[in-house]
Amino acid sequence: MNKFPFIKDFDFKERNTYKMNFESSFLENASIALAAQKSNRLDSITQALVTIVENKITAILPDDLKRGDYEYDLEINRNGIITTEFKGRISIT
């Protein structure tokens, strides 16, 4: 049985592409939810481009994000059950 959440942190330079890669199995017919929030603030990332190819998930965050630390949560859901979860920190400097 999977133990989750899996912790994965990302560091980016401001104005670069904020591309996050994940791997998971059993992605067929799964739904993906990605939420991120700036630490200690209510600013939320409302849109991200998420693609799935075989067992790889790529999430590209909006390039207008400002410097700071964000916390994210990515959930993979199959048939109403969260099968995998990734959490971590996104640091933009």
Side-chain angles (χ1 to χ4, degrees):
M1 180 164 194
N2 286 338
K3 291 184 178 183
F4 53 87
F6 298 109
I7 305 299
K8 188 171 182 179
D9 295 332
F10 295 91
D11 293 310
F12 298 110
K13 295 289 184 194
E14 190 174 27
R15 300 209 189 290
N16 285 348
T17 300
Y18 308 135
K19 182 177 177 181
M20 306 184 323
N21 293 307
F22 305 91
E23 286 193 34
S24 185
S25 55
F26 307 110
L27 292 175
E28 187 174 328
N29 297 322
S31 62
I32 309 274
L34 172 66
Q37 184 175 35
K38 192 163 188 172
S39 300
N40 301 321
R41 296 206 35 210
L42 297 177
D43 299 327
S44 293
I45 298 169
T46 57
Q47 296 182 23
L49 175 63
V50 179
T51 58
I52 303 170
V53 177
E54 294 182 5
N55 64 339
K56 298 185 188 318
I57 302 166
T58 301
I60 300 176
L61 302 173
D63 61 1
D64 61 350
L65 294 178
K66 302 297 181 204
R67 290 182 181 170
D69 291 322
Y70 298 79
E71 297 172 10
Y72 79 90
D73 183 14
L74 183 138
E75 296 177 350
I76 301 167
N77 183 315
R78 287 189 70 191
N79 301 320
I81 299 169
I82 297 173
T83 58
T84 308
E85 181 178 26
F86 292 92
K87 284 187 171 196
R89 179 188 53 79
I90 302 166
S91 178
I92 299 175
T93 56

